[in-house]
């Protein structure tokens, strides 16, 4: 019953949070950051337990690395909270206000969503990031991290909740579910009326489970099978730089490119240049038949490659007849995250922008820019790959909703 | 398998719909309106079957009335489609565009949602309204009306789909599920990847069923247990007019008032005036103890009354200590639709606007204005009482989403 009790407390807290002034919220964020730094030892001790347990269970080295905290990572969490304090508070903004013929003034006011449930995996820094962003946007948050990081999460969440409470934030605004049973999360996803939104962050199976079982609204964050289309008129140098950047700069993230489509008219000249450059960066290429004919050393791509988010130094390459085939391929395999065209042709640039149905559609830029910070939003809580409520990088504004405020002078409906 | 086949066709159609120009969509809407008028006989004949069947099954008279079409109602449907044609097309609008320090230009572009599933009950006019709005916003629509109206719906949908297709709208943009088995709708709600959004319209049990069983995102439209709070400083004449309007002008709709809260300081003077006026309009009052003491003729309210959406000439009345108790009561019983304060006190007006967590919050106006037309949106597809994506009246813009379009000149991420 932990989750029900905590959700009820969160709901109560959210009512008080909604009318909290920005100064109080900012002061709390600064104090939360300080508290993390002051209690670093406590966090590291708890984290050590998690890491030892993970090693005992022979968890993959990459997962253990995600889990592991050190002074530097704790400092980064604290910096993150301070950055959120410096961001503009969207709550109370009236974005539009118009007047009706009968004199009613109607405004659209930004307000918090209420109670947000975060369901995530092993990275304990999500605990601090999510708590900070939800708090600044005036929401109460219920955190449900992975069992791997439970000791770290309990330490971080209790430090944050205490610092927030001491700074005037209502009790229950930041709560962690300590029971790591699967049953607990299943019940959490059914708490309509208490939880307003659930944001899952993690691998495909976690996200799929939440979408299939949650009756509370969900924002899908997600998988990025991102494409770059090199058009016939592309500047080769630019195309090469963009592709290398999008694949190599940080291959393990969702906005890295996974498939490059190359216009047939330039394939013979461009592919050798591109393959050479990528190979020098250690990228394995998996090409279509035509790619293999032009660059015989590349591996052959299978149907599966077009649909794969490698998150690794591997790139699928396909030669296409024209922009139509490129659009067709993207429409079939894209996960709706980020796609880019490299072209000097105005009409094709506009057509690509209009036709591609993804959260971020680029002309002549790397897909790696799909990120709250790069978009100018400050911190982000995730990147939405679905279409309802929020799409692409989600910052503070995406953690709010709106209500209509209507100023009358006695109007009645005729 | 009808719904899967139709959903696949809708998905294909939605890709073409997304890039359709406004002129083609408008021409289609006009032609659809004309086709309804030209085929009125066919529609009335089909409707007669539904009505006879409903009468044979002894359906409530009010339900039979909702079901029944006549020349006038068909004309109203046609007018509705023409009105949608005259509304501004939101698709392609770039609401904001900003430039980043690295020169990237980032814009937020309105785009269609994709495929929208409408699940509704007996009113066959929803078939035309929903088809028109979804089409104008660039979406494909799958209509699933109630079995009571199935013959009417088949007639209307086939006339609309044919007129749309002849006007250049892709095949599959408007489709009705003809199989009225419950299994069919259950499968429809699980078609993630093919259907992007489901909007249920109907009674509480229909909406509840969709929320509990849909894995596709849902926008809850809804129940309105609306409140008016008469503050101590209220202008009595204004308060009386607003309450009478909100209760009497059309009691069967979701934005009608169901509970009036009266400040204790004016209860003795205001209640008799209000009760007298409402009684003269045939309204039954159910009052709290204090209300009964002041107006001994009113019925006594039970706990259930505070939570009831009467949709009838019945009004619950409660005397409250102050604005705090009014806010507390609203927070406890409101369904998040529309609430109004009648006051001359600036501070209380601002506090009410800020504190009440409903889709529409009024000062000195009737709750009856919560309506797409009254807000200036033109037609509406429903009134959202949830917080994700859209809140309050949903017009064309709420049937779209956005994507980021990013114009670069070779930018790569550092």
């Amino acid at each position: 019953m932990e989750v029900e009790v905590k959700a009820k407390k969160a709901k109560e807290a959210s009512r008080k949070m909604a009318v909290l002034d920005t100064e109080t919220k900012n002061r709390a964020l600064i104090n939360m950051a300080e508290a993390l730094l002051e209690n670093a030892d406590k966090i590291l001790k708890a984290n050590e337990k998690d890491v030892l347990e993970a090693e005992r269970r022979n968890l993959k080295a990459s997962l253990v690395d995600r889990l592991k905290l050190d002074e530097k990572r704790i400092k980064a969490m604290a910096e993150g909270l301070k950055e959120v304090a410096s961001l503009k508070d969207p709550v109370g903004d009236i974005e539009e206000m118009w007047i009706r013929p009968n004199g009613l003034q109607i405004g659209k006011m930004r307000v918090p969503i209420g109670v947000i449930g975060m369901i995530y995996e092993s990275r304990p820094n999500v605990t601090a990031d999510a708590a900070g962003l939800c708090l600044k946007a005036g929401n109460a948050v219920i955190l449900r991290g992975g069992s791997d990081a439970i000791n770290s999460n309990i330490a971080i969440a209790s430090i944050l909740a205490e610092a927030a409470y001491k700074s005037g934030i209502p009790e229950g605004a930041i709560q962690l579910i300590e029971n790591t049973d699967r049953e607990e999360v299943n019940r959490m996803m059914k708490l309509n009326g208490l939880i307003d939104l659930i944001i899952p962050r993690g691998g495909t199976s976690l996200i799929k489970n939440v979408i299939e079982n949650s009756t509370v609204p969900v924002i899908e964050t997600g998988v990025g099978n991102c494409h770059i289309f090199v058009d016939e008129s592309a500047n080769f140098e630019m195309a090469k730089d963009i592709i290398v950047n999008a694949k190599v700069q940080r291959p393990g993230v969702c906005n890295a490119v996974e498939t490059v489509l190359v216009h047939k008219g330039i394939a013979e000249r461009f592919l050798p240049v591109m393959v050479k450059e990528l190979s020098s960066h250690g990228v394995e290429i998996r090409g279509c038949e035509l790619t293999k004919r032009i660059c015989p050393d590349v591996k052959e791509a299978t149907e599966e490659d077009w649909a794969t988010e490698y998150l690794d130094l591997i790139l699928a390459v396909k030669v296409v007849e024209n922009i139509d085939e490129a659009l067709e391929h993207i429409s079939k395999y894209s996960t709706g995250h980020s796609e880019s065209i490299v072209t000097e042709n105005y009409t094709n640039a506009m057509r690509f922008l209009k036709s591609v149905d993804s959260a971020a559609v680029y002309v002549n830029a790397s897909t790696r820019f799909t990120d709250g910070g790069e978009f100018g939003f400050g911190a982000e809580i995730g990147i939405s790959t679905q279409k309802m409520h929020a799409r692409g990088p989600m910052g503070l504004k995406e953690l709010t909703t709106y209500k209509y405020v209507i100023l009358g002078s006695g109007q009645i409906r005729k």
Side-chain angles (χ1 to χ4, degrees), chain A:
Chain A
M1 300 293 117
E2 183 189 4
V3 72
E4 287 82 355
V5 171
K6 291 194 169 170
K8 262 178 213 154
K9 271 175 82 172
K11 191 80 201 167
E12 277 170 44
S14 75
R15 283 191 54 211
K16 297 176 195 156
M17 290 288 293
V19 292
L20 220 58
D21 60 290
T22 307
E23 275 180 15
T24 303
K25 293 189 282 188
N26 287 347
R27 199 173 50 232
L29 287 162
I30 302 287
N31 292 344
M32 286 155 67
E34 296 300 339
L36 286 183
L37 297 175
E38 280 161 23
N39 293 284
D41 282 354
K42 193 178 153 191
I43 298 171
L44 291 176
K45 226 176 198 167
N47 184 247
E48 210 187 319
K49 268 199 219 168
D50 290 330
V51 171
L52 283 175
E53 175 64 17
E55 285 167 348
R56 196 187 63 77
R57 283 168 44 230
N58 288 317
L59 232 65
K60 273 208 311 194
S62 63
L63 286 180
V64 175
D65 177 65
R66 280 188 180 194
L67 187 56
K68 208 172 214 159
L69 292 176
D70 53 24
E71 293 276 354
K72 205 179 135 199
R73 284 188 174 174
I74 291 175
K75 214 175 150 193
M77 280 194 258
E79 289 304 321
L81 291 170
K82 285 182 189 169
E83 195 205 333
V84 173
S86 74
L87 296 176
K88 196 201 160 311
D89 184 351
V91 174
D93 279 1
I94 294 184
E95 291 168 352
E96 302 171 71
M97 191 151 205
W98 61 97
I99 194 153
R100 296 290 302 156
N102 59 6
L104 278 182
Q105 270 185 292
I106 305 182
K108 213 169 163 178
M109 183 190 272
R110 285 261 141 229
V111 293
I113 288 173
V115 179
I116 295 178
M118 288 289 306
I119 300 177
Y120 52 103
E121 284 173 340
S122 50
R123 271 188 252 220
N125 62 307
V126 175
T127 306
D129 295 352
L133 283 164
C134 288
L135 184 148
K136 180 71 180 254
N139 300 294
V141 66
I142 297 179
L143 301 155
R144 212 295 188 167
S147 54
D148 296 344
I150 185 66
N151 292 297
S152 317
N153 288 337
I154 290 176
I156 295 168
S158 67
I159 291 163
L160 295 178
E162 196 193 329
Y165 181 65
K166 280 187 185 164
S167 316
I169 302 295
E171 206 183 338
I174 301 171
Q175 294 178 95
L176 177 86
I177 302 301
E178 300 187 7
N179 180 344
T180 57
D181 283 357
R182 186 171 276 254
E183 263 316 295
E184 201 74 14
V185 81
N186 287 342
R187 289 213 309 282
M188 177 174 172
M189 296 189 284
K190 308 280 185 200
L191 294 180
N192 299 62
L194 292 178
I195 301 181
D196 296 286
L197 168 66
I198 286 182
I199 303 178
R201 270 183 67 171
T204 317
S205 76
L206 176 138
I207 291 169
K208 196 165 167 250
N209 179 46
V210 174
I211 290 169
E212 282 174 2
N213 294 303
S214 181
T215 52
V216 174
V218 174
I219 291 185
E220 195 174 338
T221 63
V223 177
N225 186 19
C226 304
H227 298 75
I228 295 176
F229 168 49
V230 185
D231 195 14
E232 194 168 17
S233 64
N235 174 323
F236 280 16
E237 201 61 28
M238 187 193 283
K240 193 189 68 184
D241 290 348
I242 286 174
I243 292 165
V244 169
N245 181 259
K247 181 74 263 181
V248 172
Q249 196 238 3
R250 205 170 159 203
V253 291
C254 59
N255 56 19
V257 68
E258 306 293 6
T259 296
V260 165
L261 305 166
V262 177
H263 193 288
K264 201 182 166 189
I266 53 161
E268 281 199 47
R269 285 177 296 135
F270 180 68
L271 279 178
V273 180
M274 181 189 91
V275 168
K276 194 181 158 202
E277 183 74 20
L278 286 167
S279 300
S280 80
H281 284 90
V283 178
E284 176 189 322
I285 311 282
R286 302 192 186 167
C288 68
E289 223 185 291
L290 217 55
T291 305
K292 270 194 71 67
R293 216 178 296 161
I294 297 166
C295 305
D297 291 345
V298 310
K299 284 199 182 172
E300 192 169 329
T302 63
E303 173 67 22
E304 210 193 325
D305 284 295
W306 311 129
T308 301
E309 185 192 27
Y310 300 115
L311 297 174
D312 203 346
L313 287 175
I314 306 172
L315 183 73
V317 177
K318 187 177 184 179
V319 176
V320 292
E321 274 295 316
N322 47 35
I323 188 173
D324 296 277
E325 197 188 337
L327 292 172
E328 195 62 45
H329 182 98
I330 290 170
S331 152
K332 189 165 174 194
Y333 296 104
S334 162
T335 54
H337 195 295
S338 303
E339 333 290 340
S340 182
I341 183 175
V342 185
T343 191
E344 294 301 317
N345 181 302
Y346 171 81
T347 302
N348 286 356
M350 291 302 124
R351 186 162 165 218
F352 193 85
L353 283 178
K354 200 171 170 187
S355 304
V356 173
D357 186 22
S358 293
V361 190
Y362 294 82
V363 177
N364 293 350
S366 168
T367 53
R368 287 279 294 113
F369 287 108
T370 305
D371 172 273
E374 294 296 328
F375 274 22
F377 302 164
E380 72 178 24
I381 198 139
I383 295 175
S384 159
T385 51
Q386 46 94 65
K387 295 181 181 180
M388 304 315 298
H389 188 73
R391 212 171 177 196
M394 294 188 288
L396 285 176
K397 191 176 162 187
E398 287 69 29
L399 291 176
T400 64
T401 179
Y402 58 85
K403 69 181 175 192
Y404 290 101
V405 293
I406 302 106
L407 309 180
S409 49
Q411 282 84 350
I412 58 170
R413 189 157 168 190
K414 300 281 182 329

